[in-house]
Structure formats: structure tokens, C-alpha cells
Amino acid sequence: MYDLIILGIGPAGLSAALYAGRFQMNTLVIGEIPGGLMVNTDIIENYPGFLKISGVELTLKMQEQVQNLGIEIKMEEITKVEKIEQGFRVSTAKEKFESKMIVFATGGKHRHLGISREKEFEGKGISACANCDAPLFKDKPVAVVGGSDTAARYALLASEYSSKVYVFYRGTELRAEPTLVNALKITPNIEIIYQVNIIELKGTDKLEEVLLDNGKPYKIDALFLGIGQEPQSQLAQEIGVQVNKYGGIIIDKTSKTNVKGVYAAGDVTASPWKQIIIGNAEGAFAAFSAYEDLKCIDNETPC
């Protein structure tokens, strides 16, 4: 039996693993995609210690640091989490593992527009990863929907390839960091259109046009979704972990949940700020809390 199983190998999970390793806890990390959504970030400019670094490179550095401590990482899909008498059982398609404690660092998944033909055009003009797909639309008009940091970064990246980049945002003012907003405004081939929603997607074999609720159509070859995330908290909810109305896991200042022996960190939590460094901090808190609680479990004393 492991002391701790960490679910997720994004920034929060890797930070929890780093501290668990330094505490010499018997730890297993399980997840599907190293780095999580961080790997979709082309350039990161707000992570301490680096003027600029890509999401992929930062992921590799974090992963290497964890593995140097001898922490085991398994890249598998997690299918079930259960409470057992001595702790928890985690199942994947291949194996089952048991631990005294568990950290949910399962992150989030991209939100979608939820309108007709969206699924039909996925991979045919609609993408949730500009870093992956923007280079495919060189000298073509594209659009980004959203007003967050992610949307702003997508638009700036797309502007390096595309002839024109529209930013469609339902609000009156972008929510992105001021430096990103300023960069958008001074980039000549970016146009921000406020107080609009996309109501219709048009095309035959691929996306060709979007219609906004202001009545205006826009001819585009690609639409990048930068409209936020949905917390991946379903497995946690199945063992009684409390979430907010958006599905974010509720944690205290030390990353503890309402279920004893269960901690959470990163984009899966109810924290309103979805930032790499915040996930790192919550992951560290989770490991510290687990380490302190492990002493109580091993000594059979009240925590």
C-alpha cells in the first residue's frame, strides 16, 4: 500500500509529488497527459525564474525533478476511486492500487460553446488548442472566443500565422492580464468585438462562417475556444468530496477536503484563479498536509 496516490500529472500533481518525494513518502502519481493543459501554452511569461518558457519545456523540467526523487509515474486513465478500510483504492483500465491518502490534481477540461454543429466541426475548424492548430491556418482569417488569459494568448499566437484574428467576447472588457490586453490592442491584425455571442456555425465539410447575435456573419477558417474549463471532479464526488456549484472541489487553506485523507490542488479546485503557480502552491500544501496526517495514521494517534 502506498502512503499517497496523486491523481494528475499537471503542475499541481507534480508539485505535490515533489514535496511528497522530499518527505520520503511512498508515492505513486497517475495521469494521462504530463503537464495537463499547461502543455498547450506556447509561451509562459509569469512563472518565477523564467522570462519566457514553453508549457512543454516547463512540464519536462517539473517531471524530471520529480523522477529524480524516485517517484513512480504511471500514464494511465483513472477509471474509479473507492474508499476502503485502510484508505483508498484507485483503479485504471490495467491495474488497481491502494493508498492511505489521495490527492486529486485532475485538472479541468476545455469548455465548449454548446451550440448546434459544434461537435461536427471539431477538428475541422474548431479547436481548443491554438498552440496545436494555429500554424495550420497560415494567411487565413480565424477567430478566438473568450476574454480570459487563455483567449488572449490564443489570439496573439494566431496573429503570427493568420491574416486576420477576430476576438469575440460577450463582456464589455476583457478579463485577461493588462499586459496581454495591451498586446492584443497594438497587434494590427487582431480585432476585438465586444458584447457578442456566437449563435450559429456554418459550413459544409468544415467551418466556414460564424453568425453572431448582433446579426453579423464572419467568414473564418478556424475558431479557437478560450472560454475556460470544467473541473474534472467526478471521481472525487463519487467518494463524497464536496464541490461548489461549478464542480470545483472545495478545499481549505491547507488543501484538505471534507473527506479525511483526501486533498485537492490545481484547476480541479474551487479556487477562482487558474494559474500554474497557484496549482503549484496548492500541490505543495496538499503534500504538507498529507505528510502531517501520515504521522497520525502511522502512530495511530488522533490528527
Side-chain angles (χ1 to χ4, degrees), residues 198-235:
I198 298 171
I199 59 172
E200 190 176 352
L201 305 169
K202 297 182 178 182
T204 49
D205 297 328
K206 62 182 181 63
L207 181 68
E208 297 170 2
E209 182 179 284
V210 296
L211 179 64
L212 306 185
D213 57 3
N214 63 3
K216 294 182 180 179
Y218 287 82
K219 297 282 186 182
I220 58 172
D221 285 72
L223 176 66
F224 298 109
L225 307 180
I227 50 178
Q229 308 170 20
E230 295 177 359
Q232 295 280 72
S233 62
Q234 297 88 344
L235 295 173

Side-chain angles (χ1 to χ4, degrees), residues 64-180:
E64 180 184 16
Q65 195 173 16
V66 168
Q67 290 175 323
N68 281 343
L69 291 168
I71 298 294
E72 184 181 7
I73 297 176
K74 286 186 175 289
M75 282 183 273
E76 298 181 24
E77 181 185 0
I78 305 151
T79 58
K80 192 172 185 179
V81 178
E82 306 167 85
K83 288 183 184 178
I84 58 175
E85 186 176 347
Q86 293 180 302
F88 303 89
R89 180 181 295 120
V90 176
S91 299
T92 70
K94 301 177 181 178
E95 305 170 81
K96 296 181 188 293
F97 309 94
E98 294 182 356
S99 69
K100 298 170 185 176
M101 296 170 293
I102 196 163
V103 175
F104 283 95
T106 42
K109 64 179 180 180
H110 292 289
R111 284 198 177 100
H112 294 271
L113 295 169
I115 61 178
S116 178
R117 303 192 73 186
E118 184 176 6
K119 281 195 173 294
E120 177 186 342
F121 289 131
E122 282 182 9
K124 299 176 182 179
I126 290 184
S127 170
C129 181
N131 307 79
C132 314
D133 298 329
L136 303 176
F137 298 95
K138 186 173 176 61
D139 299 325
K140 302 287 181 64
V142 303
V144 176
V145 57
S148 65
D149 286 358
T150 298
R153 292 183 193 279
Y154 280 2
L156 290 168
L157 177 64
S159 72
E160 297 177 17
Y161 302 97
S162 300
S163 58
K164 179 76 175 183
V165 181
Y166 299 103
V167 178
F168 302 136
Y169 183 49
R170 64 184 180 182
T172 57
E173 190 174 316
L174 297 177
R175 297 180 289 107
E177 291 179 2
T179 52
L180 292 173

